[in-house]
Amino acid sequence: QVQLVESGGGLVQAGGSLRLSCAASGRTFSSYIMGWFRQAPGKEREFVAAISRNGANTYYEDSLKGRFTISRDNAKNTAYLQVNSLKPEDTAVYYCAADRKYLVVSKTPVGYDYWGQGTQVTVSS
């Protein structure tokens, strides 16, 4: 099993940037596909980005490409989400998630077994 703890959220003005971190416990971090999702009030949890086990491949929600960047440091057991040019509609709780059972990256929440508690991102206009 793996435990995930997100950090780095906060209140930021439109156009600003944040770097979200997801620290994982355990010694097998590199065996997990990592994903980021977000959930705004009254909306379903939606895919943001994912990264393969060795970090060579990244995947994004089409509408977020160019503003969001996912990365990972397997030596530090940490995944990151750099978010730039933030907009008020980016306001949501951002969750990181981990999956070890599938061979391919999933863009749906059901494809991930482990979740962090979430970090709030609020973008003011």
Side-chain angles (χ1 to χ4, degrees), residues 7-35:
S7 61
L11 174 64
V12 63
Q13 289 187 335
S17 298
L18 287 172
R19 189 193 197 199
L20 309 183
S21 298
C22 174
S25 65
R27 297 176 292 176
T28 58
F29 179 70
S30 61
S31 67
Y32 291 89
I33 290 170
M34 297 300 297

mmCIF file of all heavy atoms in Angstrom, residues 7-35:
data_model
loop_
_atom_site.group_PDB
_atom_site.id
_atom_site.type_symbol
_atom_site.label_atom_id
_atom_site.label_comp_id
_atom_site.label_asym_id
_atom_site.label_seq_id
_atom_site.Cartn_x
_atom_site.Cartn_y
_atom_site.Cartn_z
ATOM 1 N N SER A 7 0.227 18.789 -0.852
ATOM 2 C CA SER A 7 0.505 20.091 -0.263
ATOM 3 C C SER A 7 0.705 21.088 -1.387
ATOM 4 O O SER A 7 0.832 20.711 -2.559
ATOM 5 C CB SER A 7 1.734 20.034 0.641
ATOM 6 O OG SER A 7 2.874 19.661 -0.103
ATOM 7 N N GLY A 8 0.739 22.367 -1.018
ATOM 8 C CA GLY A 8 1.048 23.397 -1.992
ATOM 9 C C GLY A 8 -0.137 24.201 -2.477
ATOM 10 O O GLY A 8 0.039 25.169 -3.231
ATOM 11 N N GLY A 9 -1.338 23.816 -2.064
ATOM 12 C CA GLY A 9 -2.500 24.582 -2.465
ATOM 13 C C GLY A 9 -2.565 25.916 -1.740
ATOM 14 O O GLY A 9 -1.761 26.191 -0.844
ATOM 15 N N GLY A 10 -3.539 26.742 -2.139
ATOM 16 C CA GLY A 10 -3.697 28.022 -1.485
ATOM 17 C C GLY A 10 -4.568 28.959 -2.282
ATOM 18 O O GLY A 10 -5.220 28.552 -3.250
ATOM 19 N N LEU A 11 -4.562 30.211 -1.843
ATOM 20 C CA LEU A 11 -5.325 31.267 -2.510
ATOM 21 C C LEU A 11 -4.373 32.043 -3.409
ATOM 22 O O LEU A 11 -3.317 32.506 -2.942
ATOM 23 C CB LEU A 11 -5.966 32.184 -1.469
ATOM 24 C CG LEU A 11 -6.679 33.426 -1.996
ATOM 25 C CD1 LEU A 11 -7.868 33.035 -2.866
ATOM 26 C CD2 LEU A 11 -7.116 34.310 -0.832
ATOM 27 N N VAL A 12 -4.729 32.187 -4.655
ATOM 28 C CA VAL A 12 -3.870 32.870 -5.605
ATOM 29 C C VAL A 12 -4.734 33.710 -6.540
ATOM 30 O O VAL A 12 -5.885 33.361 -6.813
ATOM 31 C CB VAL A 12 -3.019 31.852 -6.405
ATOM 32 C CG1 VAL A 12 -3.898 30.933 -7.232
ATOM 33 C CG2 VAL A 12 -1.988 32.546 -7.266
ATOM 34 N N GLN A 13 -4.182 34.814 -7.026
ATOM 35 C CA GLN A 13 -4.909 35.653 -7.970
ATOM 36 C C GLN A 13 -4.867 35.038 -9.359
ATOM 37 O O GLN A 13 -3.937 34.291 -9.704
ATOM 38 C CB GLN A 13 -4.316 37.051 -7.997
ATOM 39 C CG GLN A 13 -4.585 37.860 -6.731
ATOM 40 C CD GLN A 13 -4.133 39.310 -6.858
ATOM 41 O OE1 GLN A 13 -3.245 39.618 -7.636
ATOM 42 N NE2 GLN A 13 -4.755 40.187 -6.088
ATOM 43 N N ALA A 14 -5.851 35.371 -10.148
ATOM 44 C CA ALA A 14 -5.883 34.913 -11.530
ATOM 45 C C ALA A 14 -4.581 35.299 -12.228
ATOM 46 O O ALA A 14 -4.075 36.409 -12.047
ATOM 47 C CB ALA A 14 -7.076 35.498 -12.263
ATOM 48 N N GLY A 15 -4.052 34.364 -12.992
ATOM 49 C CA GLY A 15 -2.780 34.570 -13.664
ATOM 50 C C GLY A 15 -1.582 34.071 -12.888
ATOM 51 O O GLY A 15 -0.475 33.990 -13.432
ATOM 52 N N GLY A 16 -1.798 33.730 -11.633
ATOM 53 C CA GLY A 16 -0.713 33.253 -10.792
ATOM 54 C C GLY A 16 -0.402 31.785 -11.011
ATOM 55 O O GLY A 16 -1.005 31.109 -11.856
ATOM 56 N N SER A 17 0.549 31.291 -10.220
ATOM 57 C CA SER A 17 1.016 29.908 -10.345
ATOM 58 C C SER A 17 1.117 29.251 -8.982
ATOM 59 O O SER A 17 1.273 29.923 -7.962
ATOM 60 C CB SER A 17 2.402 29.878 -11.011
ATOM 61 O OG SER A 17 2.360 30.417 -12.313
ATOM 62 N N LEU A 18 1.032 27.959 -8.998
ATOM 63 C CA LEU A 18 1.243 27.146 -7.804
ATOM 64 C C LEU A 18 1.956 25.866 -8.204
ATOM 65 O O LEU A 18 1.829 25.400 -9.342
ATOM 66 C CB LEU A 18 -0.090 26.775 -7.137
ATOM 67 C CG LEU A 18 -0.853 27.855 -6.378
ATOM 68 C CD1 LEU A 18 -2.220 27.317 -5.966
ATOM 69 C CD2 LEU A 18 -0.071 28.324 -5.160
ATOM 70 N N ARG A 19 2.675 25.293 -7.258
ATOM 71 C CA ARG A 19 3.268 23.971 -7.459
ATOM 72 C C ARG A 19 2.726 23.050 -6.383
ATOM 73 O O ARG A 19 3.032 23.222 -5.195
ATOM 74 C CB ARG A 19 4.789 24.027 -7.372
ATOM 75 C CG ARG A 19 5.459 22.719 -7.786
ATOM 76 C CD ARG A 19 6.913 22.705 -7.392
ATOM 77 N NE ARG A 19 7.664 21.682 -8.098
ATOM 78 C CZ ARG A 19 8.834 21.219 -7.689
ATOM 79 N NH1 ARG A 19 9.388 21.708 -6.590
ATOM 80 N NH2 ARG A 19 9.473 20.296 -8.390
ATOM 81 N N LEU A 20 1.923 22.108 -6.790
ATOM 82 C CA LEU A 20 1.368 21.139 -5.872
ATOM 83 C C LEU A 20 2.312 19.949 -5.757
ATOM 84 O O LEU A 20 2.910 19.521 -6.750
ATOM 85 C CB LEU A 20 -0.004 20.675 -6.352
ATOM 86 C CG LEU A 20 -1.016 21.768 -6.695
ATOM 87 C CD1 LEU A 20 -2.346 21.149 -7.086
ATOM 88 C CD2 LEU A 20 -1.169 22.750 -5.559
ATOM 89 N N SER A 21 2.430 19.423 -4.560
ATOM 90 C CA SER A 21 3.270 18.254 -4.318
ATOM 91 C C SER A 21 2.438 17.118 -3.756
ATOM 92 O O SER A 21 1.444 17.352 -3.061
ATOM 93 C CB SER A 21 4.388 18.589 -3.333
ATOM 94 O OG SER A 21 5.247 19.578 -3.834
ATOM 95 N N CYS A 22 2.854 15.915 -4.041
ATOM 96 C CA CYS A 22 2.201 14.717 -3.530
ATOM 97 C C CYS A 22 3.297 13.785 -3.013
ATOM 98 O O CYS A 22 4.009 13.157 -3.805
ATOM 99 C CB CYS A 22 1.392 14.042 -4.618
ATOM 100 S SG CYS A 22 0.664 12.453 -4.142
ATOM 101 N N ALA A 23 3.434 13.729 -1.704
ATOM 102 C CA ALA A 23 4.454 12.884 -1.086
ATOM 103 C C ALA A 23 3.876 11.510 -0.782
ATOM 104 O O ALA A 23 2.790 11.398 -0.206
ATOM 105 C CB ALA A 23 4.960 13.534 0.189
ATOM 106 N N ALA A 24 4.608 10.485 -1.178
ATOM 107 C CA ALA A 24 4.141 9.112 -0.993
ATOM 108 C C ALA A 24 4.999 8.370 0.018
ATOM 109 O O ALA A 24 6.215 8.573 0.079
ATOM 110 C CB ALA A 24 4.172 8.377 -2.328
ATOM 111 N N SER A 25 4.349 7.539 0.791
ATOM 112 C CA SER A 25 5.081 6.700 1.740
ATOM 113 C C SER A 25 5.540 5.424 1.046
ATOM 114 O O SER A 25 5.102 5.105 -0.062
ATOM 115 C CB SER A 25 4.184 6.343 2.923
ATOM 116 O OG SER A 25 3.103 5.540 2.468
ATOM 117 N N GLY A 26 6.421 4.678 1.706
ATOM 118 C CA GLY A 26 6.807 3.381 1.172
ATOM 119 C C GLY A 26 8.012 3.439 0.266
ATOM 120 O O GLY A 26 8.509 4.511 -0.092
ATOM 121 N N ARG A 27 8.453 2.255 -0.143
ATOM 122 C CA ARG A 27 9.680 2.143 -0.924
ATOM 123 C C ARG A 27 9.439 1.741 -2.374
ATOM 124 O O ARG A 27 10.393 1.479 -3.095
ATOM 125 C CB ARG A 27 10.599 1.114 -0.271
ATOM 126 C CG ARG A 27 11.045 1.495 1.128
ATOM 127 C CD ARG A 27 11.867 0.378 1.760
ATOM 128 N NE ARG A 27 11.057 -0.798 2.028
ATOM 129 C CZ ARG A 27 11.550 -1.927 2.505
ATOM 130 N NH1 ARG A 27 12.840 -2.044 2.725
ATOM 131 N NH2 ARG A 27 10.755 -2.947 2.745
ATOM 132 N N THR A 28 8.157 1.713 -2.778
ATOM 133 C CA THR A 28 7.841 1.230 -4.118
ATOM 134 C C THR A 28 7.169 2.304 -4.953
ATOM 135 O O THR A 28 6.381 2.000 -5.836
ATOM 136 C CB THR A 28 6.925 -0.005 -4.038
ATOM 137 O OG1 THR A 28 5.729 0.338 -3.325
ATOM 138 C CG2 THR A 28 7.632 -1.148 -3.345
ATOM 139 N N PHE A 29 7.493 3.559 -4.706
ATOM 140 C CA PHE A 29 6.840 4.669 -5.404
ATOM 141 C C PHE A 29 6.973 4.520 -6.909
ATOM 142 O O PHE A 29 6.047 4.805 -7.653
ATOM 143 C CB PHE A 29 7.445 5.985 -4.926
ATOM 144 C CG PHE A 29 6.862 7.192 -5.590
ATOM 145 C CD1 PHE A 29 5.562 7.594 -5.321
ATOM 146 C CD2 PHE A 29 7.617 7.944 -6.485
ATOM 147 C CE1 PHE A 29 5.017 8.719 -5.927
ATOM 148 C CE2 PHE A 29 7.091 9.072 -7.099
ATOM 149 C CZ PHE A 29 5.787 9.459 -6.812
ATOM 150 N N SER A 30 8.113 4.078 -7.370
ATOM 151 C CA SER A 30 8.350 3.988 -8.814
ATOM 152 C C SER A 30 7.500 2.922 -9.491
ATOM 153 O O SER A 30 7.448 2.873 -10.725
ATOM 154 C CB SER A 30 9.830 3.705 -9.084
ATOM 155 O OG SER A 30 10.206 2.481 -8.506
ATOM 156 N N SER A 31 6.817 2.104 -8.730
ATOM 157 C CA SER A 31 5.944 1.088 -9.322
ATOM 158 C C SER A 31 4.522 1.593 -9.543
ATOM 159 O O SER A 31 3.683 0.859 -10.063
ATOM 160 C CB SER A 31 5.913 -0.172 -8.449
ATOM 161 O OG SER A 31 5.271 0.101 -7.211
ATOM 162 N N TYR A 32 4.256 2.835 -9.166
ATOM 163 C CA TYR A 32 2.914 3.401 -9.269
ATOM 164 C C TYR A 32 2.812 4.408 -10.405
ATOM 165 O O TYR A 32 3.671 5.297 -10.545
ATOM 166 C CB TYR A 32 2.509 4.105 -7.977
ATOM 167 C CG TYR A 32 2.277 3.174 -6.815
ATOM 168 C CD1 TYR A 32 3.324 2.810 -5.974
ATOM 169 C CD2 TYR A 32 1.009 2.664 -6.559
ATOM 170 C CE1 TYR A 32 3.108 1.959 -4.903
ATOM 171 C CE2 TYR A 32 0.786 1.815 -5.489
ATOM 172 C CZ TYR A 32 1.841 1.463 -4.674
ATOM 173 O OH TYR A 32 1.617 0.616 -3.621
ATOM 174 N N ILE A 33 1.761 4.279 -11.188
ATOM 175 C CA ILE A 33 1.332 5.370 -12.051
ATOM 176 C C ILE A 33 0.723 6.431 -11.140
ATOM 177 O O ILE A 33 -0.030 6.107 -10.218
ATOM 178 C CB ILE A 33 0.283 4.885 -13.068
ATOM 179 C CG1 ILE A 33 0.936 3.954 -14.097
ATOM 180 C CG2 ILE A 33 -0.416 6.050 -13.737
ATOM 181 C CD1 ILE A 33 -0.059 3.238 -14.990
ATOM 182 N N MET A 34 1.052 7.692 -11.388
ATOM 183 C CA MET A 34 0.534 8.773 -10.561
ATOM 184 C C MET A 34 -0.392 9.668 -11.382
ATOM 185 O O MET A 34 -0.104 9.975 -12.542
ATOM 186 C CB MET A 34 1.675 9.600 -9.992
ATOM 187 C CG MET A 34 2.602 8.822 -9.067
ATOM 188 S SD MET A 34 1.760 8.135 -7.638
ATOM 189 C CE MET A 34 1.215 9.643 -6.804
ATOM 190 N N GLY A 35 -1.462 10.084 -10.743
ATOM 191 C CA GLY A 35 -2.412 10.959 -11.416
ATOM 192 C C GLY A 35 -2.832 12.113 -10.515
ATOM 193 O O GLY A 35 -2.703 12.049 -9.288
#
